[in-house]
Amino acid sequence: QVQLVESGGGSVQAGGSLRLSCAASGYTDGTMGWFRQAPGKEREGVAAIYTDGSGTYYLDSAKGRFIISKDNAKGTFDLRMNSLKPEDTAMYFCAYTQPRLLIEYMLDNGRYKYWGQGTQVTVSS
């Protein structure tokens, strides 16, 4: 059974950094993604990675600021977020699906089967 548990959210000022972690278990080869949803807005994909740690893909607004990675020692999929902006404020979710997605679908939330409960990120100006 796939289980995903997010942690690391919090409140920061604009320009600050946060590191989100997704503790994942029960998964096989596939795709892991980080998504976010702000109040009144649709859920959007932020970054994704293949479960072997390869094949990363980012939302344009996240490129150069966010880094998705796999920590084999901890068994987590992490999202390092730098230079945070107020518009990054949202509930952040990790999600998993199997098999691997084509790169053009990696941020398509409709293709993910398993979701965590989310962790809140608030960025103040």
Side-chain angles (χ1 to χ4, degrees):
Q1 182 177 357
V2 176
Q3 290 189 323
L4 305 171
V5 180
E6 302 95 335
S7 63
S11 297
V12 296
Q13 290 190 327
S17 298
L18 281 174
R19 187 182 189 94
L20 306 183
S21 288
C22 177
S25 61
Y27 65 91
T28 58
D29 185 51
T31 308
M32 196 72 70
W34 277 98
F35 296 79
R36 65 187 180 189
Q37 188 166 20
K41 295 188 177 182
E42 294 186 354
R43 188 172 296 187
E44 64 176 355
V46 175
I49 188 170
Y50 291 135
T51 52
D52 65 355
S54 67
T56 58
Y57 192 68
Y58 296 90
L59 181 68
D60 283 347
S61 63
K63 290 178 182 177
R65 299 191 300 129
F66 294 4
I67 300 172
I68 189 171
S69 62
K70 180 182 181 184
D71 188 323
N72 287 310
K74 296 182 180 179
T76 61
F77 292 86
D78 299 338
L79 184 68
R80 176 68 176 177
M81 304 187 294
N82 300 312
S83 302
L84 283 162
K85 305 174 182 180
E87 50 264 43
D88 294 317
T89 295
M91 184 71 78
Y92 282 71
F93 302 87
C94 67
Y96 163 77
T97 195
Q98 187 271 338
R100 290 189 177 197
L101 296 173
L102 294 175
I103 193 167
E104 57 262 42
Y105 298 136
M106 289 178 81
L107 300 185
D108 182 349
N109 62 59
R111 297 180 185 269
Y112 283 77
K113 300 175 184 176
Y114 301 93
W115 292 82
Q117 294 300 307
T119 186
Q120 178 67 37
V121 172
T122 303
V123 184
S124 59
S125 57

